[in-house]
Amino acid sequence: MRIHKDFAGGNITVKSIQGDTVCLQNELRDTAEDWFYWAFCVEGAEGLTLTFKMQKNRLGYFGPAVSHDLKKWHWLDACGSDEFTYHFTEGEDKVYFAHNMLYHPDRFFDFAKEKGLTVETLCTSKKGRNTPCVKIGEGKLSIILTARHHACESTGNYVLEGVLDELVASPIDNCTIFCVPFVDYDGVLDGDQGKSRVPHDQNRDYVPDKKSIYAETDAIRKYADENGCNLAFDFHSPWHKGGRNDRVFIVQNSLEKIDRFNLFGKILEDSITSQSLNYQKANDIAPFVEWNKPSAQFSVYMTAKPECDIAFTLETAYFGVPDNKVSQDRLVELGHCFAKAIKDYIKERAL
Ligand SMILES: [Zn+2]
């Protein structure tokens, strides 16, 4: 039997194996606070029943996300608070377990190919990889879409895919869409937490008049400065679980633009279908409430641009709740609904 992290997104340390109990710990790496992301693969355990013990706050409401191919994910739907038990059937020679449903970059490349989108290189990452971006359409209105400013936050990618899917099927007139699906591309592939990196993470790298330390954020700023940014949406996952973190919510970042946030929220609420992960405007977080203080975030940087009408972070839960449960399809459908809301908002605001 082999327990390892040798795949895109892998993150685990095996502390001990005693009988059929495996003790695991996730790797914080350069994250300065306690964080919860992990993902590992078990090979060669056919016929065994193993219990995996984790630290506190590492498992969601429905146990681990489980996959056999890193493409399709489902919840195990059984776990204790900090451990889960899995029976490996005959022929089940490779199983992936993770904190959340991973979004493999290959899924994005396959999606882009299927939709006839050309994947370009935004920049070379710190580790020498080509960080991807795509452009859709051409026109005066400039929309910027991003995900994975925080490496571990995969729900944002499913939502983003749904947004792009809808906007390709039914384009916005006279509009250029610029999309960076994996801002922290190295972190996504290496399985980093990405959140609260030292000295700061990618979503604290937008300090006006100060050069970014990450090539990706520098390139995004350059694009926005050269091409303008009328609307910008940054797709994230919130904290692990509990309260608002179990929901979908908009992080309102400007008191001056509060009416616009409320308008978008209302339109989005009206756009949600029964196949989508639900969104309710009441869960949005107002500026200066709890942790929502302005900082050097992508959305704050874009909001402050004179030509920008609205820019914000959408947070989408990792797990949801029993009557509003996360699945890959429901996240993508949320993206479809979100794209429809963008279109209706543009009409309402006459942009
Ligand atoms: Zn985030």
Side-chain angles (χ1 to χ4, degrees):
M1 177 180 74
R2 192 163 90 89
I3 300 172
H4 66 88
K5 57 181 173 190
D6 304 335
F7 58 94
N11 176 315
I12 207 70
T13 297
V14 179
K15 300 282 286 177
S16 67
I17 303 177
Q18 285 178 326
D20 53 10
T21 300
V22 180
C23 281
L24 300 165
Q25 188 173 316
N26 71 330
E27 298 173 333
L28 295 179
R29 301 181 188 169
D30 65 348
T31 286
E33 60 181 308
D34 188 47
W35 217 249
F36 41 75
Y37 176 77
W38 53 270
F40 64 89
C41 179
V42 180
E43 293 192 60
E46 294 114 292
L48 298 178
T49 298
L50 299 174
T51 294
F52 299 93
K53 283 184 183 280
M54 318 286 300
Q55 303 130 276
K56 278 208 177 332
N57 276 333
R58 297 297 185 264
L59 280 164
Y61 299 118
F62 315 115
V66 182
S67 175
H68 295 95
D69 57 8
L70 291 174
K71 291 179 184 165
K72 275 202 206 135
W73 289 89
H74 66 272
W75 300 114
L76 180 61
D77 274 329
C79 75
S81 61
D82 300 314
E83 63 178 57
F84 66 90
T85 298
Y86 193 85
H87 175 66
F88 296 83
T89 57
E90 288 304 325
E92 207 176 10
D93 59 347
K94 191 191 261 192
V95 187
Y96 298 92
F97 301 96
H99 169 266
N100 46 282
M101 295 183 171
L102 306 193
Y103 187 103
H104 197 294
D106 284 352
R107 175 170 168 142
F108 186 81
F109 298 132
D110 290 346
F111 166 79
K113 198 172 166 196
E114 191 193 314
K115 300 294 165 182
L117 303 175
T118 307
V119 177
E120 297 175 49
T121 298
L122 173 73
C123 61
T124 304
S125 76
K126 195 174 175 184
K127 294 193 175 172
R129 296 170 173 128
N130 293 333
T131 301
C133 66
V134 292
K135 280 179 206 151
I136 304 173
E138 207 163 340
K140 225 169 86 213
L141 195 70
S142 170
I143 303 180
I144 303 180
L145 304 173
T146 52
R148 308 298 274 274
H149 272 93
H150 295 137
C152 69
E153 299 179 1
S154 66
T155 55
N157 269 117
Y158 290 101
V159 181
L160 175 61
E161 182 190 298
V163 172
L164 295 176
D165 189 38
E166 173 65 26
L167 294 181
V168 168
S170 168
I172 300 167
D173 288 341
N174 197 18
C175 174
T176 307
I177 294 164
F178 177 64
C179 170
V180 182
F182 310 103
V183 176
D184 183 359
Y185 194 44
D186 284 336
V188 170
L189 289 169
D190 295 344
D192 292 350
Q193 309 292 329
K195 179 83 177 175
S196 299
R197 283 185 189 279
V198 172
H200 63 241
D201 68 43
Q202 276 75 354
N203 204 30
R204 298 292 182 278
D205 199 30
Y206 293 84
V207 185
D209 305 321
K210 200 171 159 197
K211 197 173 160 47
S212 291
I213 63 170
Y214 300 104
E216 287 82 359
T217 48
D218 188 53
I220 291 167
R221 287 171 68 162
K222 213 165 273 170
Y223 176 88
D225 293 346
E226 286 169 8
N227 299 276
C229 172
N230 303 114
L231 299 139
F233 306 102
D234 188 22
F235 299 95
H236 284 244
S237 315
W239 191 69
H240 177 53
K241 66 179 181 184
R244 186 185 277 112
N245 301 299
D246 298 333
R247 311 288 167 176
V248 178
F249 62 97
I250 290 172
V251 183
Q252 302 180 339
N253 58 30
S254 159
L255 286 170
E256 295 78 53
K257 293 183 177 178
I258 206 75
D259 291 348
R260 298 181 194 178
F261 285 109
N262 288 331
L263 175 64
F264 197 102
K266 189 188 172 300
I267 292 172
L268 180 57
E269 193 173 281
D270 291 346
S271 306
I272 296 293
T273 60
S274 59
Q275 295 84 44
S276 168
L277 193 68
N278 193 245
Y279 159 83
Q280 286 174 323
K281 192 188 164 304
N283 293 311
D284 290 354
I285 185 162
F288 303 99
V289 168
E290 297 164 29
W291 46 263
N292 187 18
K293 313 273 179 340
S295 65
Q297 296 155 347
F298 165 86
S299 59
V300 172
Y301 182 87
M302 296 304 165
T303 296
K305 292 179 86 60
E307 73 279 12
C308 184
D309 183 274
I310 196 170
F312 62 78
T313 294
L314 184 79
E315 300 278 4
T316 301
Y318 285 111
F319 319 114
V321 290
D323 66 350
N324 187 36
K325 202 168 168 182
V326 164
S327 72
Q328 291 172 296
D329 289 348
R330 298 187 81 209
L331 293 173
V332 171
E333 176 63 7
L334 173 61
H336 291 149
C337 302
F338 193 91
K340 286 178 188 144
I342 296 175
K343 288 192 263 189
D344 287 347
Y345 179 83
I346 288 171
K347 263 187 219 147
E348 281 278 336
R349 297 275 307 146
L351 299 175

